[in-house]
Amino acid sequence: VLRENDDPSADAPPHWQRQWQASLAVETDRHPVWAGKSAQRVRRLRNQAGWVARLAGELGLSHLHAHFGSDATTVAMLAARGARLRFSYTAHARDIYHCYVDETVDRLARRHKLEQAQFTATVSESNRTYLETLARGIPADVRLLYNGIDLNRFAPTAEAVDNGAHIVAIGRLVAKKGFDHLVTACALMAARGLPFTCDIVGDGPLRATLEQQVRDCGLSDRVRLRGAMTQAGVIETLRRATVTTLPCVVDSDGDRDALPTVLLESIAMAIPVVTTTVNGCPEIVGDDEAGWLVPPGDAVALAGALSDALTRPHERLRRGLMARRRCERRFDLQRNTRLLAAWLRDAACKPDRELQRMPS
């Protein structure tokens, strides 16, 4: 496990360091993977890659796998090149869509990693389509692998519980979660006289802004910002939910949610969800199977869907039961983990893919 400021190759033998630097000569400082990074950060990533390559050699590994296609995959890619290993990675969300430098440079860096990897797994069909389009014209193997949920830990309660009209929203308090639209939707529902309460669980840079919005809308007795919670606290909060919502939007820098875990946790517990059509959210909900879908940034539509969920208990129960079955089919942690393990075993046995370097 590497921490942000570790220098794990500091104790590497001098002859090994020379061999390592020579093996990385192809990755010049002008290469797109280094764009926007300080000299100190470049050195740290190269040192981390050196440490990973050395440890992989000591352990007799033949394949490396990284999560997130940003720095973690840069380290895995360099380590694989330095130690003549194979590598693959799982691409999630910010690492695919966020604008780090500019559109052209980010595109080149991402294409390079797609081309060099034995395969790239990603967590939604929407992501897979985007990455395959990005990789057009280069050899790249992009595969869909949904995130998985522990179906035993996140399970429906043994008996039906009347939770009244309680909305739960869980996530980091950042723009892409769309919580400002949720507060506006709550104000619309309150103006219509609908009885409800709403808990927003999480912390982040927008907390003060959201608290002020709640006060300005006169919702302090209905909408509560509960702060961050442990997983046990999240499960207990979800058990009290009538409906779960996450009104995702695309942030101004392109960042967005890919397959929000809290929505998977909710449907595993047979709690229907109200979310938006951003990225992989429709793949969670299906054709009105697991909840309701609305356009991103549309507080009026969000208020309508939440009102529907709160006031139609039989429909809510039906979609909740369908949600659990959908989760069992698509998002079972055990099954999806076994699939990734099979892919890794297969990749470790294949001949090395010829390394091709993109023009810098």
Side-chain angles (χ1 to χ4, degrees):
V1 177
L2 300 177
R3 294 178 295 273
E4 183 69 17
N5 295 314
D6 281 350
D7 186 358
S9 70
D11 59 346
H15 73 277
W16 185 89
Q17 289 184 350
R18 288 194 297 272
Q19 178 183 351
W20 172 248
Q21 291 300 328
S23 71
L24 294 185
V26 67
E27 299 292 358
T28 68
D29 290 339
R30 296 181 57 192
H31 195 278
V33 299
W34 302 125
K37 295 178 174 64
S38 66
Q40 180 182 11
R41 188 174 175 191
V42 169
R43 177 177 176 273
R44 183 169 65 247
L45 292 174
R46 281 176 164 158
N47 286 343
Q48 289 178 349
W51 183 85
V52 169
R54 181 162 56 92
L55 181 61
E58 292 172 357
L59 295 174
L61 303 182
S62 61
H63 191 93
L64 303 173
H65 187 81
H67 272 278
F68 293 93
S70 45
D71 284 355
T73 294
T74 297
V75 168
M77 180 177 65
L78 296 180
R81 175 172 287 129
R84 300 194 64 78
L85 306 175
R86 308 169 187 89
F87 85 97
S88 55
Y89 68 101
T90 298
H92 290 261
R94 183 179 176 84
D95 51 320
I96 300 174
Y97 300 107
H98 176 73
C99 182
Y100 291 98
V101 183
D102 64 49
E103 184 177 351
T104 300
V105 171
D106 292 337
R107 180 174 178 273
L108 287 173
R110 287 165 180 154
R111 279 173 58 89
H112 183 66
K113 291 173 182 178
L114 288 165
E115 182 179 24
Q116 296 297 309
Q118 287 286 310
F119 69 87
T120 300
T122 193
V123 301
S124 73
E125 178 62 29
S126 177
N127 281 358
R128 190 186 69 81
T129 300
Y130 175 81
L131 290 174
E132 286 194 334
T133 301
L134 182 65
R136 189 170 294 156
I138 61 174
D141 182 357
V142 184
R143 307 176 185 181
L144 170 65
L145 182 66
Y146 286 123
N147 287 338
I149 294 296
D150 184 338
L151 296 177
N152 293 319
R153 185 167 177 77
F154 291 90
T157 54
E159 298 179 0
V161 178
D162 183 5
N163 294 312
H166 185 48
I167 302 165
V168 170
I170 302 174
R172 191 160 180 261
L173 305 185
V174 294
K176 70 178 181 179
K177 302 297 183 180
F179 290 138
D180 54 335
H181 302 296
L182 173 59
V183 175
T184 301
C186 286
L188 292 173
M189 290 189 292
R192 297 170 189 162
L194 181 68
F196 70 91
T197 56
C198 177
D199 281 346
I200 300 176
V201 176
D203 211 342
L206 294 183
R207 179 163 186 168
T209 301
L210 290 169
E211 288 174 337
Q212 185 62 52
Q213 184 184 5
V214 169
R215 289 192 294 270
D216 292 344
C217 292
L219 294 172
S220 297
D221 60 336
R222 292 176 179 262
V223 179
R224 298 166 294 188
L225 274 71
R226 302 285 301 279
M229 288 185 182
T230 64
Q231 188 179 79
V234 166
I235 293 174
E236 186 58 35
T237 299
L238 286 173
R239 286 189 178 128
R240 297 194 298 270
T242 308
V243 63
T244 302
T245 186
L246 195 65
C248 303
V249 298
V250 178
D251 200 354
S252 58
D253 62 5
D255 194 15
R256 69 202 72 179
D257 272 320
L259 198 79
T261 299
V262 66
L263 298 184
L264 301 182
E265 293 169 345
S266 297
I267 68 171
M269 297 176 70
I271 304 165
V273 299
V274 174
T275 188
T276 71
T277 54
V278 167
N279 207 341
C281 294
E283 297 170 50
I284 298 174
V285 174
D287 295 328
D288 296 327
E289 282 184 84
W292 290 257
L293 285 170
V294 300
D298 189 338
V300 174
L302 180 62
L306 288 170
S307 298
D308 199 35
L310 294 176
T311 58
R312 299 174 64 197
H314 294 295
E315 181 63 17
R316 188 172 66 239
L317 176 62
R318 185 186 73 84
R319 296 195 195 198
L321 294 174
M322 293 175 67
R324 172 68 185 192
R325 289 197 290 268
R326 187 173 181 83
C327 196
E328 291 170 346
R329 292 196 308 269
R330 288 194 171 201
F331 308 116
D332 181 349
L333 176 63
Q334 299 298 323
R335 183 171 60 243
N336 293 3
T337 301
R338 287 194 297 270
L339 179 57
L340 177 59
W343 288 350
L344 293 174
R345 286 192 297 269
D346 181 62
C349 296
K350 283 184 176 179
D352 289 334
R353 173 181 288 181
E354 181 183 357
L355 295 178
Q356 300 177 2
R357 179 171 177 265
M358 287 177 58
S360 58

